[in-house]
Protein backbone atom coordinates (compact mmCIF):
# COMPACT_ATOMS: atom_id res chain seq x y z
CA UNK A 1 0.00 0.00 0.00
CA UNK A 2 1.01 3.62 -0.39
CA UNK A 3 -0.08 7.00 0.94
CA UNK A 4 -1.95 9.24 -1.49
CA UNK A 5 -3.77 12.57 -1.11
CA UNK A 6 -7.22 12.21 -2.68
CA UNK A 7 -10.63 13.75 -2.97
CA UNK A 8 -13.39 11.28 -2.33
CA UNK A 9 -16.24 13.40 -3.70
CA UNK A 10 -16.52 16.80 -5.40
CA UNK A 11 -16.60 19.92 -3.29
CA UNK A 12 -14.49 22.17 -1.11
CA UNK A 13 -11.32 21.43 0.87
CA UNK A 14 -13.32 19.19 3.22
CA UNK A 15 -13.44 16.40 0.61
CA UNK A 16 -9.63 16.12 0.53
CA UNK A 17 -7.86 13.53 2.70
CA UNK A 18 -5.01 11.05 2.83
CA UNK A 19 -5.80 7.48 1.88
CA UNK A 20 -3.96 4.16 1.81
CA UNK A 21 -4.22 2.90 -1.75
CA UNK A 22 -2.68 -0.02 -3.59
CA UNK A 23 0.51 0.80 -5.45
CA UNK A 24 -0.62 1.03 -9.09
CA UNK A 25 0.61 -1.62 -11.50
CA UNK A 26 2.12 -0.27 -14.72
CA UNK A 27 0.19 -1.38 -17.80
CA UNK A 28 1.52 -1.59 -21.34
CA UNK A 29 3.65 1.45 -22.16
CA UNK A 30 3.55 2.75 -18.59
CA UNK A 31 6.11 3.59 -15.93
CA UNK A 32 5.56 3.18 -12.20
CA UNK A 33 7.27 6.20 -10.64
CA UNK A 34 8.35 6.65 -7.00
CA UNK A 35 7.39 10.31 -6.65
CA UNK A 36 10.04 12.65 -5.20
CA UNK A 37 8.12 15.91 -5.73
CA UNK A 38 4.72 16.94 -7.10
CA UNK A 39 3.70 20.37 -8.41
CA UNK A 40 0.55 22.04 -7.10
CA UNK A 41 -1.62 23.88 -9.62
CA UNK A 42 -4.96 25.70 -9.71
CA UNK A 43 -6.35 22.90 -11.87
CA UNK A 44 -5.95 20.51 -8.91
CA UNK A 45 -8.54 22.26 -6.73
CA UNK A 46 -10.70 23.11 -9.76
CA UNK A 47 -10.96 19.37 -10.56
CA UNK A 48 -11.67 18.60 -6.91
CA UNK A 49 -14.53 21.10 -7.00
CA UNK A 50 -16.04 19.25 -9.97
CA UNK A 51 -15.01 21.53 -12.81
CA UNK A 52 -13.73 19.74 -15.87
CA UNK A 53 -13.30 20.81 -19.47
CA UNK A 54 -15.94 19.68 -21.96
CA UNK A 55 -15.01 16.26 -23.31
CA UNK A 56 -12.65 15.41 -20.44
CA UNK A 57 -13.01 11.83 -19.19
CA UNK A 58 -15.15 11.22 -16.10
CA UNK A 59 -13.22 11.29 -12.82
CA UNK A 60 -13.14 8.02 -10.89
CA UNK A 61 -13.40 8.56 -7.11
CA UNK A 62 -11.47 8.58 -4.89
CA UNK A 63 -9.17 10.52 -7.22
CA UNK A 64 -5.53 11.15 -6.39
CA UNK A 65 -4.92 14.88 -6.73
CA UNK A 66 -2.13 16.46 -8.77
CA UNK A 67 -1.23 16.64 -12.44
CA UNK A 68 2.58 16.83 -12.51
CA UNK A 69 5.39 14.99 -10.78
CA UNK A 70 9.04 14.01 -10.85
CA UNK A 71 10.52 10.82 -9.47
CA UNK A 72 12.40 7.60 -10.07
CA UNK A 73 11.17 4.74 -12.23
CA UNK A 74 10.27 1.89 -9.85
CA UNK A 75 8.95 -0.56 -12.48
CA UNK A 76 8.25 -0.58 -16.21
CA UNK A 77 5.16 -1.98 -17.88
CA UNK A 78 5.08 -4.38 -20.83
CA UNK A 79 6.49 -3.02 -24.07
CA UNK A 80 8.35 -0.08 -22.52
CA UNK A 81 11.67 0.64 -24.16
CA UNK A 82 14.13 3.41 -23.38
CA UNK A 83 13.47 3.57 -19.62
CA UNK A 84 14.76 1.38 -16.79
CA UNK A 85 14.25 1.10 -13.04
CA UNK A 86 16.07 3.95 -11.30
CA UNK A 87 15.80 6.49 -14.14
CA UNK A 88 14.92 10.02 -13.04
CA UNK A 89 11.85 11.24 -14.94
CA UNK A 90 9.15 13.91 -14.92
CA UNK A 91 5.81 14.34 -16.60
CA UNK A 92 2.06 14.62 -16.24
CA UNK A 93 0.92 11.40 -14.52
CA UNK A 94 -2.57 10.09 -15.24
CA UNK A 95 -2.78 8.44 -11.82
CA UNK A 96 -2.36 11.70 -9.85
CA UNK A 97 0.88 13.17 -8.57
CA UNK A 98 0.13 13.64 -4.84
CA UNK A 99 1.13 10.09 -3.98
CA UNK A 100 4.14 8.01 -3.10
CA UNK A 101 3.73 6.21 -6.43
CA UNK A 102 2.14 7.22 -9.69
CA UNK A 103 1.92 6.10 -13.32
CA UNK A 104 3.38 7.96 -16.29
CA UNK A 105 2.97 7.07 -19.95
CA UNK A 106 6.49 6.26 -21.10
CA UNK A 107 5.78 8.10 -24.35
CA UNK A 108 5.05 11.29 -22.39
CA UNK A 109 7.85 11.00 -19.82
CA UNK A 110 10.96 13.15 -20.01
CA UNK A 111 14.29 12.47 -18.34
CA UNK A 112 15.36 14.68 -15.46
CA UNK A 113 18.94 15.85 -15.88
CA UNK A 114 21.02 15.75 -12.68
CA UNK A 115 21.45 19.55 -12.79
CA UNK A 116 17.68 20.04 -12.31
CA UNK A 117 16.40 19.52 -8.77
CA UNK A 118 13.43 17.26 -8.01
CA UNK A 119 11.34 20.21 -6.89
CA UNK A 120 12.12 22.27 -10.00
CA UNK A 121 11.49 19.26 -12.27
CA UNK A 122 8.10 18.57 -10.69
CA UNK A 123 6.68 21.98 -11.60
CA UNK A 124 7.66 21.95 -15.28
CA UNK A 125 4.98 19.74 -16.93
CA UNK A 126 2.04 22.10 -16.30
CA UNK A 127 2.96 25.69 -15.41
CA UNK A 128 6.33 26.13 -17.11
CA UNK A 129 5.27 24.11 -20.16
CA UNK A 130 2.10 26.18 -20.45
CA UNK A 131 4.06 29.43 -20.24
CA UNK A 132 6.54 28.20 -22.84
CA UNK A 133 3.78 26.87 -25.11
CA UNK A 134 1.77 30.09 -24.88
CA UNK A 135 4.71 32.26 -25.89
CA UNK A 136 5.41 29.91 -28.79
CA UNK A 137 1.70 29.99 -29.73
CA UNK A 138 1.72 33.79 -29.99
CA UNK A 139 4.82 33.60 -32.22
CA UNK A 140 5.73 37.26 -31.78
CA UNK A 141 8.93 38.44 -33.49
CA UNK A 142 11.92 39.58 -31.41
CA UNK A 143 11.45 43.18 -30.29
CA UNK A 144 7.66 42.85 -30.02
CA UNK A 145 5.92 43.71 -26.75
CA UNK A 146 3.97 41.05 -24.84
CA UNK A 147 1.54 41.77 -22.00
CA UNK A 148 1.14 39.01 -19.40
CA UNK A 149 -1.65 39.39 -16.86
CA UNK A 150 -1.10 37.51 -13.59
CA UNK A 151 2.61 37.49 -14.41
CA UNK A 152 3.66 36.62 -10.85
CA UNK A 153 1.99 33.19 -10.82
CA UNK A 154 3.47 29.87 -11.88
CA UNK A 155 2.66 30.17 -15.59
CA UNK A 156 3.43 33.90 -15.70
CA UNK A 157 6.96 33.79 -14.32
CA UNK A 158 7.88 31.03 -16.76
CA UNK A 159 6.26 32.74 -19.75
CA UNK A 160 7.98 36.03 -18.90
CA UNK A 161 11.43 34.43 -18.80
CA UNK A 162 10.87 32.53 -22.04
CA UNK A 163 9.66 35.71 -23.74
CA UNK A 164 12.64 37.75 -22.52
CA UNK A 165 14.94 34.90 -23.62
CA UNK A 166 13.40 35.17 -27.12
CA UNK A 167 14.02 38.91 -27.27
CA UNK A 168 10.52 40.17 -26.49
CA UNK A 169 9.75 43.14 -24.25
CA UNK A 170 7.42 42.04 -21.46
CA UNK A 171 4.89 44.14 -19.60
CA UNK A 172 3.26 42.26 -16.74
CA UNK A 173 0.46 42.93 -14.29
CA UNK A 174 0.45 41.60 -10.75
CA UNK A 175 0.04 42.71 -7.16
CA UNK A 176 2.49 45.20 -5.71
CA UNK A 177 4.08 42.60 -3.40
CA UNK A 178 5.39 40.73 -6.47
CA UNK A 179 6.78 43.81 -8.23
CA UNK A 180 10.43 43.24 -7.22
CA UNK A 181 10.34 39.56 -8.18
CA UNK A 182 8.94 40.14 -11.67
CA UNK A 183 11.11 43.19 -12.35
CA UNK A 184 14.13 40.97 -11.59
CA UNK A 185 12.99 38.78 -14.50
CA UNK A 186 13.07 41.77 -16.85
CA UNK A 187 9.33 42.52 -16.73
CA UNK A 188 7.99 46.09 -16.78
CA UNK A 189 5.52 45.91 -13.91
CA UNK A 190 2.05 47.46 -13.96
CA UNK A 191 -0.27 47.24 -10.99
CA UNK A 192 -3.31 45.01 -11.37
CA UNK A 193 -6.82 46.34 -10.64
CA UNK A 194 -9.30 48.65 -12.36
CA UNK A 195 -7.79 50.93 -15.00
CA UNK A 196 -5.28 48.26 -16.05
CA UNK A 197 -5.54 48.94 -19.81
CA UNK A 198 -4.67 52.63 -19.34
CA UNK A 199 -1.66 51.77 -17.18
CA UNK A 200 -0.48 49.25 -19.78
CA UNK A 201 -0.78 51.84 -22.57
CA UNK A 202 1.29 54.24 -20.48
CA UNK A 203 3.93 51.57 -19.84
CA UNK A 204 4.08 50.57 -23.53
CA UNK A 205 3.46 53.74 -25.57
CA UNK A 206 4.49 51.98 -28.81
CA UNK A 207 1.65 49.48 -28.27
CA UNK A 208 1.07 45.89 -27.21
CA UNK A 209 1.68 43.22 -29.85
CA UNK A 210 0.36 40.22 -27.95
CA UNK A 211 -1.48 39.36 -24.74
CA UNK A 212 -1.16 36.26 -22.57
CA UNK A 213 -3.97 36.39 -20.02
CA UNK A 214 -3.63 34.27 -16.88
CA UNK A 215 -6.44 35.81 -14.83
CA UNK A 216 -9.62 35.76 -16.95
CA UNK A 217 -12.89 37.53 -16.09
CA UNK A 218 -12.86 41.33 -16.00
CA UNK A 219 -9.09 41.43 -16.46
CA UNK A 220 -9.29 39.50 -19.72
CA UNK A 221 -12.11 41.72 -20.97
CA UNK A 222 -10.16 44.85 -20.11
CA UNK A 223 -6.98 43.87 -21.99
CA UNK A 224 -8.54 41.96 -24.91
CA UNK A 225 -8.60 45.01 -27.16
CA UNK A 226 -4.97 46.00 -26.61
CA UNK A 227 -3.17 43.95 -29.26
CA UNK A 228 -3.64 44.96 -32.88
CA UNK A 229 -4.33 42.08 -35.23
CA UNK A 230 -5.74 38.56 -35.02
CA UNK A 231 -4.04 35.66 -33.27
CA UNK A 232 -2.47 37.92 -30.71
CA UNK A 233 -4.66 37.14 -27.68
CA UNK A 234 -4.44 33.89 -25.70
CA UNK A 235 -5.72 32.96 -22.25
CA UNK A 236 -4.87 30.11 -19.89
CA UNK A 237 -7.58 31.16 -17.45
CA UNK A 238 -10.80 31.45 -19.43
CA UNK A 239 -11.24 29.25 -22.50
CA UNK A 240 -14.80 30.26 -23.42
CA UNK A 241 -14.42 34.01 -22.82
CA UNK A 242 -11.21 34.29 -24.81
CA UNK A 243 -12.83 32.58 -27.79
CA UNK A 244 -15.79 34.97 -27.57
CA UNK A 245 -13.33 37.87 -27.60
CA UNK A 246 -11.66 36.64 -30.80
CA UNK A 247 -8.65 35.00 -29.14
CA UNK A 248 -7.71 31.42 -28.33
CA UNK A 249 -7.13 29.30 -25.24
CA UNK A 250 -3.52 28.32 -24.64
CA UNK A 251 -2.90 25.07 -26.44
CA UNK A 252 -2.45 21.63 -24.88
CA UNK A 253 1.00 21.12 -23.39
CA UNK A 254 1.14 17.33 -22.92
CA UNK A 255 3.88 17.13 -25.50
CA UNK A 256 7.19 15.51 -24.49
CA UNK A 257 9.12 17.52 -27.11
CA UNK A 258 7.81 20.78 -25.66
CA UNK A 259 8.49 19.57 -22.11
CA UNK A 260 11.98 18.48 -23.13
CA UNK A 261 12.66 21.99 -24.46
CA UNK A 262 11.51 23.45 -21.13
CA UNK A 263 13.75 21.06 -19.18
CA UNK A 264 16.69 22.13 -21.33
CA UNK A 265 16.01 25.82 -20.61
CA UNK A 266 16.04 25.02 -16.89
CA UNK A 267 19.16 22.87 -17.16
CA UNK A 268 21.06 25.68 -18.89
CA UNK A 269 19.86 28.32 -16.43
CA UNK A 270 17.75 30.26 -18.96
CA UNK A 271 14.57 29.48 -17.01
CA UNK A 272 13.96 29.41 -13.26
CA UNK A 273 10.51 27.95 -12.52
CA UNK A 274 10.65 29.97 -9.30
CA UNK A 275 9.67 27.48 -6.65
CA UNK A 276 8.90 29.73 -3.69
CA UNK A 277 7.40 27.18 -1.33
CA UNK A 278 8.34 23.55 -0.73
CA UNK A 279 5.78 21.79 1.47
CA UNK A 280 6.26 18.29 2.97
CA UNK A 281 3.79 15.78 1.54
CA UNK A 282 2.28 15.26 5.00
CA UNK A 283 1.07 18.89 4.82
CA UNK A 284 -0.48 18.62 1.34
CA UNK A 285 -3.61 20.47 2.44
CA UNK A 286 -1.54 23.54 3.28
CA UNK A 287 -0.04 23.57 -0.22
CA UNK A 288 -3.42 23.26 -1.93
CA UNK A 289 -4.90 26.03 0.27
CA UNK A 290 -2.02 28.35 -0.69
CA UNK A 291 -2.62 27.81 -4.42
CA UNK A 292 -6.40 27.91 -4.02
CA UNK A 293 -5.98 31.37 -2.48
CA UNK A 294 -4.99 32.52 -5.99
CA UNK A 295 -2.12 34.85 -5.12
CA UNK A 296 1.03 32.77 -4.78
CA UNK A 297 4.31 33.96 -6.27
CA UNK A 298 5.82 31.39 -8.63
CA UNK A 299 5.29 27.76 -7.72
CA UNK A 300 4.29 25.67 -4.72
CA UNK A 301 5.56 22.09 -4.67
CA UNK A 302 5.03 19.02 -2.48
CA UNK A 303 8.14 17.16 -1.45
CA UNK A 304 7.93 13.46 -0.70
CA UNK A 305 9.90 11.84 2.09
CA UNK A 306 13.44 11.16 0.76
CA UNK A 307 14.90 7.69 0.39
CA UNK A 308 12.44 5.94 -1.91
CA UNK A 309 14.67 2.87 -1.38
CA UNK A 310 13.16 2.65 2.06
CA UNK A 311 9.67 2.38 0.59
CA UNK A 312 10.14 -0.13 -2.18
CA UNK A 313 6.64 -1.33 -3.05
CA UNK A 314 5.47 -4.85 -3.40
CA UNK A 315 4.92 -4.80 -7.13
CA UNK A 316 3.10 -7.78 -8.56
CA UNK A 317 5.01 -9.41 -11.41
CA UNK A 318 4.15 -7.87 -14.78
CA UNK A 319 3.65 -10.31 -17.61
CA UNK A 320 4.52 -9.68 -21.28
N1 LIG B 1 -3.19 24.26 -20.10
C1 LIG B 1 -3.87 25.23 -19.56
O1 LIG B 1 -4.85 25.66 -20.13
C2 LIG B 1 -3.44 25.82 -18.24
C3 LIG B 1 -2.27 25.36 -17.64
C4 LIG B 1 -1.84 25.96 -16.45
C5 LIG B 1 -2.64 26.95 -15.86
N2 LIG B 1 -3.80 27.33 -16.45
C6 LIG B 1 -4.63 28.38 -15.85
O2 LIG B 1 -3.94 29.61 -16.00
C7 LIG B 1 -4.21 30.44 -14.86
C8 LIG B 1 -2.89 30.81 -14.18
O3 LIG B 1 -2.27 29.64 -13.72
P1 LIG B 1 -1.08 29.74 -12.67
O4 LIG B 1 -0.63 28.37 -12.42
O5 LIG B 1 -0.11 30.76 -13.11
O6 LIG B 1 -1.87 30.30 -11.40
P2 LIG B 1 -1.29 31.02 -10.09
O7 LIG B 1 0.09 30.56 -9.84
O8 LIG B 1 -2.33 30.89 -9.05
O9 LIG B 1 -1.19 32.55 -10.54
C9 LIG B 1 -2.29 33.28 -10.90
C10 LIG B 1 -2.00 34.75 -10.68
O10 LIG B 1 -3.22 35.48 -11.00
C11 LIG B 1 -3.28 36.62 -10.18
N3 LIG B 1 -4.66 36.89 -9.81
C12 LIG B 1 -5.52 36.08 -9.14
N4 LIG B 1 -6.71 36.66 -9.03
C13 LIG B 1 -6.60 37.90 -9.61
C14 LIG B 1 -7.51 38.98 -9.82
N5 LIG B 1 -8.77 38.92 -9.39
N6 LIG B 1 -7.05 40.06 -10.48
C15 LIG B 1 -5.78 40.14 -10.91
N7 LIG B 1 -4.88 39.13 -10.75
C16 LIG B 1 -5.29 38.04 -10.11
C17 LIG B 1 -2.42 36.35 -8.95
O11 LIG B 1 -1.50 37.39 -8.88
P3 LIG B 1 -1.61 38.62 -7.86
O12 LIG B 1 -1.40 38.07 -6.48
O13 LIG B 1 -0.51 39.44 -8.36
O14 LIG B 1 -2.97 39.20 -8.04
C18 LIG B 1 -1.65 35.07 -9.24
O15 LIG B 1 -0.26 35.23 -9.08
C19 LIG B 1 -5.14 29.63 -13.94
O16 LIG B 1 -6.47 29.97 -14.24
C20 LIG B 1 -4.87 28.18 -14.36
O17 LIG B 1 -5.95 27.33 -14.08
C21 LIG B 1 -4.21 26.79 -17.64
Amino acid sequence: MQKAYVHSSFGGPEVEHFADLPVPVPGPGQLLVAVRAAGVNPVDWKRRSGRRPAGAPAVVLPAVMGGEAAGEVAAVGPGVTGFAVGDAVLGGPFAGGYAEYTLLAAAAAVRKPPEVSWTDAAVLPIAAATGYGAVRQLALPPGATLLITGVGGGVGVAAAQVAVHLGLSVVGSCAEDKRGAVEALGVAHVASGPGLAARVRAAAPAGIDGVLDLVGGDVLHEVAGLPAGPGRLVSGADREAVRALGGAPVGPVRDPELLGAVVELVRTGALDPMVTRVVPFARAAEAVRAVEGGHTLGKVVLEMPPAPDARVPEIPPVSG
Side-chain angles (χ1 to χ4, degrees), residues 41-43 46 126-127 130 150 152-156 174-175 177-178 192 214-215 219 236-237 239 250-251 253 291 294-296 298-299:
N41 289 281
V43 69
K46 289 177 185 176
I126 292 185
T130 299
V155 179
C174 63
D177 63 353
K178 300 186 180 72
S192 45
L214 298 170
V215 179
V219 173
R239 304 181 76 80
V250 297
V253 293
V291 172
H295 295 282
T296 46
K299 289 298 306 172

Side-chain angles (χ1 to χ4, degrees), residues 2 14 22 62 88 115 130 138 148 153 156 176 189 191 214-215 229 234-235:
Q2 60 150 344
E14 71 284 353
E115 301 91 331
T130 299
L138 283 165
I148 304 176
E176 189 61 31
H189 170 262
L214 298 170
V215 179
V234 298
S235 176

Side-chain angles (χ1 to χ4, degrees), residues 77-212:
V80 169
T81 55
F83 289 100
V85 170
D87 285 352
V89 294
L90 61 137
F94 45 87
Y98 299 4
E100 290 177 309
Y101 291 91
T102 192
L103 294 174
L104 270 181
V110 167
R111 287 177 189 283
K112 183 191 83 65
E115 301 91 331
V116 178
S117 69
W118 289 113
T119 48
D120 276 2
V123 302
L124 304 181
I126 292 185
T130 299
Y132 177 88
V135 172
R136 215 161 73 164
Q137 189 176 348
L138 283 165
L140 298 172
T145 301
L146 169 66
L147 169 67
I148 304 176
T149 65
V151 71
V155 179
V157 295
Q161 291 172 78
V162 170
V164 169
H165 185 71
L166 294 175
L168 305 183
S169 294
V170 180
V171 177
S173 65
C174 63
E176 189 61 31
D177 63 353
K178 300 186 180 72
R179 172 197 277 267
V182 302
E183 284 182 346
L185 302 177
V187 173
H189 170 262
V190 291
S192 45
L196 176 61
R199 286 192 297 282
V200 170
R201 283 193 197 93
I208 292 294
D209 300 300
V211 171
L212 166 57

Side-chain angles (χ1 to χ4, degrees), residues 2-8 12-21 38 40 44-45 48 62-67 95-101 280-289 292 302 304:
Q2 60 150 344
K3 285 264 178 269
Y5 195 66
V6 306
H7 63 96
S8 48
E14 71 284 353
V15 302
E16 297 174 10
H17 59 92
F18 280 98
D20 290 321
L21 297 181
V40 181
D44 302 346
W45 66 261
R48 180 213 65 213
V64 180
M65 295 182 70
Y98 299 4
E100 290 177 309
Y101 291 91
F281 181 44
R283 301 199 331 245
E286 186 182 316
V288 184
R289 294 298 78 69
E292 195 161 359
L302 290 176
M304 300 299 161

